[in-house]
Amino acid sequence: MTRTDTPPAWDERTQLTTFLTYVRDTARAKCEGLSDEDARKAHLPGSPLMTLGGLINHLRWVEYFWFRVVFLGEEDQGPWTDEDPDREMRIAVDIPLSRLLAEYAEEAARHDELVAAHDLDTKARQQRQDGSAVDLRWILLHLIEETARHNGHLDILRELTDGRTGD
């Protein structure tokens, strides 16, 4: 996989989508060559849900939530519940890593099409608690930030798993 954060054009949309693609690809690269067993390891006693597979599943569902639920206003069909708000991370230990990565890639491809079809100034259908609505630009920036932050977590977990650093 070739990753780059250098966009092929310098317009705002291309820069934002290039960075989102880059951080997504980086998340997937952190998992290359891992076994399902390694992807399920929880190395941090204070964070038992923090696994490589759990983070990939979390990133997949975070994109779903922001694009489909908040932006499009669809009914929330995510795995979380009021009783188990982190369920997407908990259930990942029962799903093969290859499936988690494939579902993340499929969701990303759907979202790329959605982004291409809307202006960056388009407001989300679901409003915030204060009655305001974020726009598509804000959602892209938020997902870049969230994915990049979790890439740091993936980096640490990968090093604790097998010593591999970088990527």
Side-chain angles (χ1 to χ4, degrees):
M1 164 185 352
T2 301
R3 290 177 290 132
T4 182
D5 60 358
T6 304
W10 295 101
D11 62 285
E12 182 181 24
R13 174 184 298 277
T14 304
Q15 290 180 61
L16 290 171
T17 56
T18 298
F19 265 97
L20 182 56
T21 298
Y22 176 74
V23 294
R24 286 171 175 160
D25 289 348
T26 300
R28 286 190 291 272
K30 301 289 178 192
C31 298
E32 286 179 0
L34 282 177
S35 68
D36 289 339
E37 180 182 334
D38 285 341
R40 294 177 178 124
K41 288 181 181 174
H43 296 282
L44 307 172
S47 300
L49 299 179
M50 185 75 73
T51 66
L52 287 141
L55 284 168
I56 293 298
N57 206 37
H58 172 71
L59 290 172
R60 175 246 204 250
W61 285 104
V62 163
E63 283 205 22
Y64 160 84
F65 178 79
W66 281 103
F67 283 126
R68 309 259 299 274
V69 177
V70 175
F71 186 71
L72 294 178
E74 294 179 4
E75 183 179 338
D76 188 354
Q77 300 291 320
W80 39 71
T81 64
D82 290 339
E83 298 77 32
D84 193 359
D86 298 317
R87 187 167 177 261
E88 78 279 10
M89 295 181 81
R90 188 178 322 283
I91 64 174
V93 298
D94 296 324
I95 304 170
L97 180 60
S98 60
R99 181 173 148 203
L100 293 171
L101 291 166
E103 289 176 357
Y104 182 35
E106 290 166 9
E107 201 73 26
R110 274 193 290 277
H111 300 148
D112 289 346
E113 290 176 14
L114 178 133
V115 169
H118 290 85
D119 188 272
L120 295 175
D121 293 323
T122 304
K123 296 288 187 188
R125 291 192 178 150
Q126 186 179 95
Q127 294 183 340
R128 298 163 43 122
Q129 290 180 344
D130 66 3
S132 66
V134 298
D135 59 21
L136 181 57
R137 175 184 295 101
W138 186 93
I139 292 171
L140 287 168
L141 287 165
H142 175 69
L143 289 172
I144 292 165
E145 176 273 328
E146 172 127 359
T147 307
R149 181 167 33 90
H150 287 311
N151 279 345
H153 299 132
L154 289 165
D155 216 17
I156 292 165
L157 292 174
R158 182 62 190 252
E159 185 172 353
L160 290 170
T161 299
D162 64 6
R164 186 170 158 190
T165 61
D167 298 322

